[in-house]
């Protein structure tokens, strides 16, 4: 179901009818208001939409996923997302430029209901963002539930460019909430969920579905 912000703001769609919410990538407001923050504020500053989203995130039978601009937007909503208090904001890449490339991430142990079937996997993924550097401010990354990190070809945390394309501390590029129902990712797994979408496939990936398909299969398992 394609639901636009105008549908929520004008009350044409109710989130009570849904159990899953995915905030997609893109460039809301051209990102001139800060990475995804214009999008987040359009919800936070509208009483009805803020109330609807707050209720949605609190319902224990729902899941949410934010990708790229959606990741930035959801980090801007962290005050109304239970268990997201330690999430970072996303700032300009350390390279001071838009980065569109293939990177490698490792899915680390976390409560995420969407990534539980991928823990330990090191997978190539598309990245395309200009503001993906995680900034924890005065907080510590250790206080957040990290779900994914950029890694190099040896499986070590990527701390240098270009294996870490945005300069995030400790290679952090995915986080989740305390109960794992809300997950945010800067990379684009939806662009490479089929094996044929990968620039390279190792032996054993003959099936049409690539490893990232598991993320969406896990969402289906969660809703039952």
């Amino acid at each position: 179901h394609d639901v636009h912000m105008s549908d929520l703001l004008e009350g044409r769609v109710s989130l009570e009818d849904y159990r899953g919410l995915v905030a997609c990538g893109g460039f809301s407001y051209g990102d001139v208001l800060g990475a995804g923050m214009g999008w987040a504020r359009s919800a936070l500053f509208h009483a009805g939409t803020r109330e609807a989203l707050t209720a949605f995130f609190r319902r224990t039978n729902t899941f949410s996923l934010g990708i790229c601009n959606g990741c930035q937007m959801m980090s801007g909503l962290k005050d109304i997302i239970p268990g997201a208090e330690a999430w970072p904001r996303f700032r300009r890449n350390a390279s001071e430029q838009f980065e569109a490339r293939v990177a490698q991430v490792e899915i680390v142990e976390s409560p995420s209901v969407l990534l539980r079937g991928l823990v330990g996997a090191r997978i190539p993924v598309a990245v395309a963002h200009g503001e993906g550097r995680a900034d924890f401010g005065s907080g510590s990354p250790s206080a957040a539930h990290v779900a994914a990190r950029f890694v190099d070809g040896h499986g070590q945390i990527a701390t240098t460019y270009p294996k870490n394309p945005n300069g995030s501390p400790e290679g952090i590029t995915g986080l989740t909430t305390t109960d794992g129902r809300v997950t945010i990712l800067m990379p684009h797994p939806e662009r490479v969920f089929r094996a044929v979408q990968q620039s390279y496939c190792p032996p054993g990936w003959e099936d049409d579905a690539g490893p990232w398909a598991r993320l969406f299969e896990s969402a289906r398992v969660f809703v039952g």
Side-chain angles (χ1 to χ4, degrees):
H1 290 241
D2 252 345
V3 177
H4 293 253
M5 281 302 299
S6 57
D7 294 324
L8 297 179
L9 295 170
E10 296 174 21
R12 292 192 295 267
V13 172
S14 171
L15 290 178
E16 294 179 359
D17 299 329
Y18 297 91
R19 290 187 59 191
L21 183 157
V22 178
C24 61
F27 292 93
S28 59
Y29 298 91
D31 272 357
V32 296
L33 302 179
M37 290 308 296
W39 186 2
R41 285 164 182 153
S42 70
L44 293 174
F45 295 167
H46 185 276
T49 304
R50 181 186 180 113
E51 182 179 345
L53 283 166
T54 299
F56 181 87
F57 292 131
R58 287 179 178 173
R59 278 168 46 203
T60 57
N61 67 340
T62 67
F63 74 89
S64 303
L65 172 66
I67 293 175
C68 198
N69 201 225
C71 168
Q72 299 161 349
M73 184 275 278
M74 283 197 173
S75 77
L77 298 181
K78 67 179 183 177
D79 290 344
I80 64 171
I81 300 177
E85 298 81 7
W87 280 2
R89 294 283 193 241
F90 290 90
R91 311 293 187 189
R92 185 76 173 161
N93 294 343
S95 66
E96 290 291 333
Q97 63 184 5
F98 179 82
E99 297 290 342
R101 60 178 68 246
V102 175
Q104 181 163 255
V105 300
E106 180 176 23
I107 308 303
V108 301
E109 185 71 45
S110 79
S112 175
V113 300
L114 300 180
L115 297 174
R116 58 178 47 158
L118 290 169
V119 173
R122 298 171 186 162
I123 324 173
V125 67
V127 298
H129 56 259
E131 297 178 278
R133 178 172 54 85
D135 180 1
F136 291 87
S138 60
S140 170
S142 63
H145 292 286
V146 175
R149 301 180 190 271
F150 290 117
V151 294
D152 63 21
H154 300 286
Q156 301 301 305
I157 294 174
T159 58
T160 58
Y161 180 87
K163 294 180 176 63
N164 180 331
N166 52 45
S168 290
E170 301 175 21
I172 294 170
T173 192
L175 301 106
T176 191
T177 50
T178 304
D179 63 5
R181 290 188 301 104
V182 184
T183 300
I184 56 175
L185 298 167
M186 277 309 299
H188 285 271
E190 82 286 359
R191 295 186 182 181
V192 286
F193 69 94
R194 296 180 63 199
V196 295
Q197 292 172 308
Q198 295 281 359
S199 57
Y200 164 77
C201 292
W205 283 23
E206 290 83 4
D207 293 338
D208 182 61
W212 286 112
R214 180 67 65 87
L215 185 153
F216 302 100
E217 293 166 356
S218 294
R220 183 65 183 87
V221 170
F222 176 78
V223 298

